[in-house]
Amino acid sequence: MDETVRYAVGLDVGTENVRAVVASIDRAGKLSVVGYNEAKNSGMRKGILANLAGPADAIDHMLGEVERMSGYEIHSAVVSVNGSQLLTTKTEGMIAVGTIEHEINEEDLYRVEDVAVTGRVPANREILDVIPFGYSIDGQEGVRDPLGMTGARLEMRANVVSALQPNCDNLRKSLEGAKVATERLVPSVVAGSRAVLNERQKENGVAVIDLGAATTSVAIYEEGDLQYVGVIPAGSINITNDLAICLETSTDVAEEIKKRYVTGAFEDGKDIVIKMNREEHTFSREQVNEVVKARLAEIFDKVKKELRKAGYEKRLPEGAVLIGGGSKMRDLDIFAKQELEMSVRLGCPKGLGGVGSSIEKPEYSATIGLMLFAADSDSRPIKSAQKKAKGESSGFLKNLFKKFKF
Ligand SMILES: Nc1ncnc2c1ncn2[C@@H]1O[C@H](COP(=O)(O)OP(=O)(O)OP(=O)(O)O)[C@@H](O)[C@H]1O
Ligand SMILES: [Mg+2]
């Protein structure tokens, strides 16, 4: 008997790759991955849409296989948003909740959140999430969950995650072109973090670094909550392009060198010989190392600046976790550790049911995280989920009382 009560779909729109994961959820809430796929994307620049048609075509094409594999027709998904436009802003708000005996209810939380957010984020920004990281009641600080508590004055401190409105609108429009409604937009590094971090890491303090093709995104967690998101407009494709320019070779050959021969240990060694299209190419290992090292040093220097800007340099006991396609370079953690002067490990999603073991790879972290967000953001039965209108988005206000901790 098919126990599936609903499906959760995560869709990562990366600069170089689009990926989707579908999981079925049974009555007991157990997830099982039933479909996935990836395809090359086009029409994106540094995590942001440059045209609508490129990503729409890539997604439409890629989802065909996911639907065949899962037997589920995809109408909506939780989708990634990326780019240096992403911002986290710290805010605070205060409201009077009534008499001293008043029990704080959801309406009060809504109001205090509204006060904290209104006017703090520029009008051209879409609020993706509001993460309360502390309440105080009548001046008493350190309250994590004020629901049901009594008091007359409620204050909240929160982190607001936002992205430029036109970019969000265009992303949704492009997805509509692929006949997919956007349930929610989540920063790709935040989604990736959800797939690879455990509660202890988030509680103690940790950074996730998503080394993608054209962006390197950083998310910082402490006390269980997201504290900061920053996106650097450079990624692994810059290494390929540098190699192609400096070694005077094609980007195909450069990509092959990067993936097969470069390691983050940057040890000396024999010349690199590559056979491609019946041609043999020889490169000096020393030169290859020099080129890759220079670009990676620049990227990790910027990561370090992000950590400093966020106030977390040398303050993260759980160190950093690397994810994204670029993190697959062998021994990259060794290099990152030296550059960042903190412990670094490679992140990889684990423990997925169904056909999930095939996608337990760093480049699938964001997609799996998006699917996990979809799993807990949606409790609709299959029928209504499938009827869901195209383009309908469950925005921040709708989700307000279903607060998900990033
Ligand atoms: N084995 C490998 N070694 C080194 N780099 C790799 C390896 N495999 C893939 N990459 C690189 O990973 C990058 C793609 O990563 P990913 O799919 O995470 O990017 P994306 O999500 O499309 O981009 P972005 O997140 O920047 O928008 C490419 O630049 C590719 O060359
Ligand atoms: Mg990515």
Side-chain angles (χ1 to χ4, degrees), residues 78-269:
V78 172
V79 177
S80 66
V81 53
N82 197 8
S84 45
Q85 48 145 359
L86 288 169
L87 261 191
T88 40
T89 316
K90 296 239 152 91
T91 67
E92 48 192 35
M94 193 263 283
I95 56 161
V97 285
T99 61
I100 196 91
E101 297 93 41
H102 176 85
E103 275 193 10
I104 291 161
N105 56 34
E106 288 190 334
E107 180 64 25
D108 298 323
L109 295 188
Y110 175 86
R111 275 205 301 131
V112 74
E113 198 150 310
D114 204 31
V115 169
V117 169
T118 307
R120 305 294 173 97
V121 178
N124 66 345
R125 296 200 143 257
E126 178 169 322
I127 294 169
L128 303 176
D129 203 5
V130 178
I131 303 146
F133 56 83
Y135 292 92
S136 57
I137 299 172
D138 296 344
Q140 178 70 53
E141 288 192 8
V143 177
R144 281 201 58 100
D145 186 3
L147 261 187
M149 291 187 175
T150 46
R153 198 179 80 224
L154 176 66
E155 284 164 83
M156 180 182 86
R157 284 180 301 123
N159 226 332
V160 180
V161 186
S162 67
L164 283 174
Q165 187 71 57
N167 291 344
C168 298
D169 291 342
N170 290 332
L171 192 51
R172 277 191 284 264
K173 219 181 265 181
S174 181
L175 280 148
E176 276 173 39
K179 297 174 219 65
V180 178
T182 305
E183 287 167 25
R184 185 181 176 192
L185 292 174
V186 176
S188 45
V189 65
V190 171
S193 305
R194 167 106 191 228
V196 299
L197 294 183
N198 59 38
E199 291 308 316
R200 194 199 62 224
Q201 289 171 311
K202 285 202 270 186
E203 196 57 44
N204 291 343
V206 68
V208 172
I209 302 165
D210 181 347
L211 186 52
T215 61
T216 302
S217 320
V218 184
I220 300 171
Y221 290 79
E222 195 185 40
E223 292 180 2
D225 291 326
L226 177 72
Q227 302 291 339
Y228 181 83
V229 173
V231 180
I232 298 152
S236 188
I237 201 164
N238 296 92
I239 301 173
T240 307
N241 291 344
D242 290 352
L243 283 170
I245 293 166
C246 296
L247 305 177
E248 297 173 11
T249 188
S250 71
T251 48
D252 286 345
V253 170
E255 183 80 359
E256 184 78 357
I257 297 172
K258 179 181 81 174
K259 287 185 180 167
R260 284 190 48 201
Y261 297 95
V262 175
T263 84
F266 294 113
E267 279 159 357
D268 296 340

Side-chain angles (χ1 to χ4, degrees), residues 332-402:
L332 185 62
D333 50 331
I334 296 176
F335 184 76
K337 183 172 182 238
Q338 282 165 9
E339 295 296 303
L340 299 175
E341 297 175 290
M342 65 202 283
S343 86
V344 177
R345 67 180 86 171
L346 298 172
C348 196
K350 285 198 184 68
L352 295 162
V355 292
S357 57
S358 326
I359 50 165
E360 290 179 353
K361 302 171 179 173
E363 67 270 35
Y364 264 94
S365 308
T367 327
I368 291 166
L370 293 163
M371 178 275 287
L372 294 173
F373 276 110
D376 58 18
S377 71
D378 189 346
S379 55
R380 292 163 297 139
I382 294 167
K383 276 201 182 104
S384 59
Q386 295 205 342
K387 273 194 238 143
K388 195 170 164 134
K390 263 192 250 169
E392 185 191 330
S393 70
S394 55
F396 137 78
L397 282 176
K398 264 196 209 162
N399 283 323
L400 209 71
F401 295 123
K402 291 195 260 159

Side-chain angles (χ1 to χ4, degrees), residues 7-14 18-25 31 33-38 59 62-63 66 72 74-81 175 180-184 186 191 359 364-378:
Y7 289 89
V9 185
L11 208 166
D12 180 26
V13 190
V18 285
R19 297 189 174 90
V21 175
V22 183
S24 66
I25 304 168
L31 286 177
V33 175
V34 289
Y36 61 85
N37 194 19
E38 63 187 309
I59 292 164
M62 183 263 306
L63 287 182
V66 185
Y72 173 67
I74 294 164
H75 293 261
S76 67
V78 172
V79 177
S80 66
V81 53
L175 280 148
V180 178
T182 305
E183 287 167 25
R184 185 181 176 192
V186 176
I359 50 165
Y364 264 94
S365 308
T367 327
I368 291 166
L370 293 163
M371 178 275 287
L372 294 173
F373 276 110
D376 58 18
S377 71
D378 189 346

